[in-house]
Amino acid sequence: MSLPGAPYLARQGADLQLDGCSLDALAREFGTPLYVYSQRAMLDAVAAYQRALAGRPHLLCYAMKANPSLAVLQTFVQAGCGFDIVSAGELERVLAAGGSASRVVFSGVGKTRAEMRRALQAGVRCFNVESQGELELLSQQAVAVGRTAQVSLRVNPDVDAGTHPYISTGLKDNKFGIAHDQAVASYRRAASLPGLQVAGIDCHIGSQITQVEPYLDALDRLLDLVEAVEAEGITIRHVDVGGGLGIQYGTEAPPQADELVTRLLQRIDARGHGHRELLMEPGRSLVGNAGVLLTEVLYLKPGASKNFCIVDAAMNDLMRPAMYQAWMAIEPCHRRDGAAPTWDVVGPVCESGDWLGRARELAVQPGDMLAVLSAGAYAMAMASNYNSRARAAEVMLVDGQPVLIRERERLEDLMASERLIPRP
Ligand SMILES: *Cc1c(COP(=O)(O)O)cnc(C)c1O
């Protein structure tokens, strides 16, 4: 198995390095738990999509819920990306990072009135609408603020993305999207509402997808609908195939982004839709392999049936193992010689579900630094303050130099918005 995160992540002798920087040294300089990202890896991931999209009308919208840190967004603004957002909070982040609302698509099943109004006032490019009720409410809000909302209907293509049930979103029993057989009627309704203008069609079939075929199936289902809707005299300008391309955590071998895009464009051309603008919403595949989580080994606790390696990062820092039973590679930052017993790598949180890796062979001692790999996506983004633990700091390697992009949270930050009950 190649090292997830290679070639940006590599061993130099015993030392694990990201962009040529020693992770052990970064952990000791900035403290742990610590997220470290390679900006170069993120830019190269964007470039792989853009290479294949070059010369075609397109917009690559980074699905920022994967990693919404301002410096990450700033990196993608500079790379020419738009953004896929799922809340008004994400819109404010895009604007704070220097992005333009005119390159933002707004997804999500539960947009509130206030979020719609804010997005209309900011001038987002398109709303990806997920239900009949949302169409009606969005039209009302648009009329109320004197704007026209550009809309795309998120259609549920009912294809199986072949991924974990929690991150599979394109089957008909999911909460997401408008059922395929109701889509034409919904477009008719959208076209008749005063506050809306039909702009596109979209889908998003799941996450950590490692095959091209589910995308091609979903694309075919979308293009069938485009043809049916346009037969009714309603124009659809863009086709948005969503995100979901997988990354390497262990032995997976997902297609490269340029291969995926090339196959999609071939199918679009073969069906005579080459003039349409193609939108994509990649999240994980732009950032996942660009980051690592560094943590210090606190204690070794050998036991009768299991050995525990207790580290200072926990499920509040990295929820993916606890939430999805996700497997993420764990590597010593500085490799030791000698025996490598089998450990469950666990955090300090008071939950048995608080583990980062199970049954890992590691030669470690207390005080050693470990790196959890492929931790650039859905990692810091899901961090919480459970157990009153302050959230980790983040460092971005920019041209090989570490830049602190998020200070470690302070305990006073955690209590800042709380109030004691006034005494009578
Ligand atoms: C989460 C999400 C994405 C990104 O998914 P990845 O698997 O991170 O690429 C794209 N579009 C929508 C609507 C999403 O909810």
Side-chain angles (χ1 to χ4, degrees), residues 255-403:
Q256 298 296 305
D258 42 1
E259 181 195 340
L260 170 65
V261 172
T262 301
R263 299 276 303 277
L264 288 171
L265 290 173
Q266 280 167 355
R267 181 65 60 93
I268 289 172
D269 289 347
R271 292 196 48 171
H273 290 268
H275 56 290
R276 281 182 217 284
E277 186 176 12
L278 179 64
L279 269 60
M280 298 184 80
E281 304 169 352
R284 188 190 310 269
S285 57
L286 294 185
V287 292
N289 280 138
V292 297
L293 171 63
L294 305 183
T295 183
E296 181 179 346
V297 176
L298 299 175
Y299 304 101
L300 296 180
K301 199 171 161 185
S305 60
K306 266 190 178 182
N307 298 321
F308 293 101
C309 170
I310 302 171
V311 299
D312 69 355
M315 63 187 289
N316 75 295
D317 301 298
L318 181 63
M319 189 127 89
R320 299 189 66 260
M323 184 150 139
Y324 312 114
Q325 286 80 51
W327 189 96
M328 300 172 77
I330 300 177
E331 288 281 326
C333 290
H334 196 85
R335 197 158 51 196
R336 295 177 172 274
D337 296 329
T342 300
W343 305 96
D344 277 11
V345 179
V346 301
V349 162
C350 306
E351 298 277 350
S352 295
D354 179 29
W355 54 277
L356 299 180
R358 288 182 166 149
R360 304 304 175 88
E361 285 174 21
L362 292 165
V364 277
Q365 292 298 328
D368 285 2
M369 300 296 178
L370 297 179
V372 184
L373 308 189
S374 313
Y378 304 107
M380 183 63 184
M382 292 186 181
S384 79
N385 296 119
Y386 189 39
N387 279 210
S388 288
R389 288 167 53 85
R391 284 177 300 169
E394 294 179 295
V395 163
M396 173 112 61
L397 302 174
V398 180
D399 300 326
Q401 294 302 313
V403 178

Side-chain angles (χ1 to χ4, degrees), residues 63 65-66 84 107 154 204 206-208 242-245 281-284 378:
K65 71 178 189 286
D84 173 53
S107 298
R154 174 168 176 181
H204 172 67
S207 203
Q208 188 52 19
L245 181 60
E281 304 169 352
R284 188 190 310 269
Y378 304 107

Side-chain angles (χ1 to χ4, degrees), residues 27 67 83 101 130 138 144 172 213 226 231 236 292 305 313 347:
N67 188 329
F83 296 90
E130 302 218 15
L138 181 59
K172 64 178 184 304
E213 285 67 28
V226 169
I236 292 187
V292 297
S305 60

Side-chain angles (χ1 to χ4, degrees), residues 15-335:
D15 204 35
L16 190 63
Q17 300 190 341
L18 186 61
D19 277 353
C21 292
S22 160
L23 292 177
D24 192 78
L26 288 172
R28 291 178 200 284
E29 179 180 351
F30 292 95
T32 51
L34 180 72
Y35 279 98
V36 184
Y37 309 118
S38 159
Q39 189 188 49
R40 194 160 64 92
M42 293 184 186
L43 292 173
D44 286 357
V46 173
Y49 279 93
Q50 284 171 340
R51 256 199 309 279
L53 288 164
R56 304 285 291 233
H58 73 273
L59 184 62
L60 194 64
C61 293
Y62 168 51
M64 60 175 282
K65 71 178 189 286
N67 188 329
S69 295
L70 290 179
V72 172
L73 304 183
Q74 181 188 20
T75 297
F76 289 123
V77 169
Q78 284 162 9
C81 292
F83 296 90
D84 173 53
I85 65 167
V86 292
S87 71
E90 289 196 341
L91 176 57
E92 297 310 323
R93 282 185 171 272
V94 169
L95 300 176
S100 162
S102 65
R103 297 166 79 77
V104 165
V105 298
F106 191 175
S107 298
V109 288
K111 302 177 191 77
T112 65
R113 277 180 195 82
E115 287 179 318
M116 288 175 176
R117 287 193 179 214
R118 175 69 187 114
L120 284 161
Q121 272 148 358
V124 300
R125 176 189 155 128
C126 187
F127 289 83
N128 290 348
V129 173
E130 302 218 15
S131 65
Q132 191 71 44
E134 187 187 336
L135 274 182
E136 308 291 332
L137 185 63
L138 181 59
S139 176
Q140 286 165 19
Q141 300 309 309
V143 169
V145 300
R147 300 269 172 130
T148 301
Q150 303 292 318
V151 295
S152 162
L153 297 196
R154 174 168 176 181
V155 176
N156 191 328
D158 196 23
V159 299
D160 187 353
T163 182
H164 189 284
Y166 284 14
I167 50 179
S168 189
T169 52
L171 284 163
K172 64 178 184 304
D173 290 343
N174 290 128
K175 70 176 176 182
F176 301 102
I178 291 172
H180 195 269
D181 57 9
Q182 287 164 23
V184 175
S186 297
Y187 270 104
R188 238 182 261 133
R189 180 70 185 147
S192 76
L193 286 169
L196 308 184
Q197 181 170 20
V198 171
I201 190 167
D202 66 284
C203 70
H204 172 67
I205 56 173
S207 203
Q208 188 52 19
I209 300 167
T210 54
Q211 309 284 321
V212 175
E213 285 67 28
Y215 282 100
L216 295 175
D217 292 347
L219 176 63
D220 273 329
R221 303 272 288 164
L222 285 191
L223 294 179
D224 292 347
L225 279 177
V226 169
E227 289 163 11
V229 170
E230 292 208 325
E232 308 234 342
I234 300 167
T235 304
I236 292 187
R237 292 195 309 274
H238 76 247
V239 174
D240 177 348
V241 295
L245 181 60
I247 62 167
Q248 188 194 354
Y249 287 100
T251 54
E252 310 83 336
Q256 298 296 305
D258 42 1
E259 181 195 340
L260 170 65
V261 172
T262 301
R263 299 276 303 277
L264 288 171
L265 290 173
Q266 280 167 355
R267 181 65 60 93
I268 289 172
D269 289 347
R271 292 196 48 171
H273 290 268
H275 56 290
R276 281 182 217 284
E277 186 176 12
L278 179 64
L279 269 60
M280 298 184 80
E281 304 169 352
R284 188 190 310 269
S285 57
L286 294 185
V287 292
N289 280 138
V292 297
L293 171 63
L294 305 183
T295 183
E296 181 179 346
V297 176
L298 299 175
Y299 304 101
L300 296 180
K301 199 171 161 185
S305 60
K306 266 190 178 182
N307 298 321
F308 293 101
C309 170
I310 302 171
V311 299
D312 69 355
M315 63 187 289
N316 75 295
D317 301 298
L318 181 63
M319 189 127 89
R320 299 189 66 260
M323 184 150 139
Y324 312 114
Q325 286 80 51
W327 189 96
M328 300 172 77
I330 300 177
E331 288 281 326
C333 290
H334 196 85
R335 197 158 51 196

